[in-house]
Amino acid sequence: MKLETTRISIVALTKNQLENYLIADNILENELGLTIIPIPRTINDRVKNAITTKLLPAINESPKDNLLYTFWTIIDKAQNCMIGDLCFKGPPNDDGEIEIGYGTYPAFQGKGYMKEAVNQMALWAFQQENVKSIIAKTDPSNIASQRILENNNFLNLGQEGEYITWKLNND
């Protein structure tokens, strides 16, 4: 599955591609025919843990929902390279809510890519069965992430615990 804007493509990774993503030795970039950027892609422990303990087991258990469990990689069309990732954290709950997470690689931050990608993912999500709203959580110190959500019309619901919760309704 692929979503497109003028500047970016957003590609849903298959189970095997998600496993290759974890290897972080350019195997995924080579498989996707992408340019390897000089600053290698790194995966922090939190993301690695989420993929191995939540996303991959969920894809194995419910392959039909894989688009709601996998990473979607963001590709800059002009440079033909990976610039960030997004994911949903599973199918909608009983209230029709799904949660989105995202990250831009450091060399590509501050250029509006993630605003564009979150917008496209929201448009796609609201076309899926039973999705009524999208939830996002940000660290209170992550102003850039908060701006992405504000610029995509997410409503700030306030801080719950250590995170600020945001919501976008399908109006």
Side-chain angles (χ1 to χ4, degrees):
M1 175 73 167
K2 184 192 285 189
L3 305 175
E4 305 248 3
T5 72
T6 304
R7 293 193 312 159
I8 62 174
S9 296
I10 309 167
V11 179
L13 300 181
T14 65
K15 179 182 175 235
N16 289 339
Q17 289 170 332
L18 188 56
E19 290 167 341
N20 288 341
Y21 178 95
L22 284 172
I23 299 169
D25 69 351
N26 298 324
I27 191 170
L28 177 60
E29 289 84 343
N30 288 329
E31 180 181 340
L32 295 173
L34 301 175
T35 302
I36 309 300
I37 59 174
I39 303 165
R41 177 173 54 84
T42 59
I43 305 167
N44 67 39
D45 289 338
R46 183 180 55 80
V47 170
K48 190 177 289 187
N49 183 53
I51 292 171
T52 57
T53 64
K54 295 178 183 168
L55 299 180
L56 285 170
I59 290 169
N60 286 333
E61 186 176 313
S62 184
K64 70 178 180 60
D65 291 327
N66 74 313
L67 294 177
L68 296 172
Y69 285 115
T70 195
F71 267 30
W72 294 65
T73 193
I74 305 165
I75 299 166
D76 178 296
K77 290 179 179 181
Q79 298 179 63
N80 192 42
C81 65
M82 292 173 63
I83 59 172
D85 307 292
L86 307 100
C87 74
F88 291 110
K89 299 179 180 181
N93 64 19
D94 291 340
D95 294 326
E97 299 170 336
I98 58 172
E99 186 175 345
I100 192 170
Y102 51 86
T104 309
Y105 305 159
F108 301 96
Q109 292 175 349
K111 296 177 169 64
Y113 289 113
M114 194 55 70
K115 176 187 178 283
E116 207 170 313
V118 167
N119 177 267
Q120 286 302 302
M121 291 297 287
L123 292 171
W124 177 84
F126 287 137
Q127 294 174 11
Q128 307 314 300
E129 187 175 351
N130 300 321
V131 175
K132 296 178 183 167
S133 58
I134 301 170
I135 301 294
K137 295 183 180 181
T138 61
D139 185 289
S141 66
N142 192 339
I143 303 304
S145 185
Q146 294 171 42
R147 294 293 171 263
I148 289 165
L149 298 171
E150 288 172 349
N151 289 328
N152 277 293
N153 301 314
F154 278 72
L155 177 65
N156 182 334
L157 300 180
Q159 190 164 339
E160 295 177 21
E162 61 186 278
Y163 296 106
I164 298 172
T165 301
W166 302 78
K167 187 174 188 176
L168 179 65
N169 290 314
N170 185 11
D171 296 328

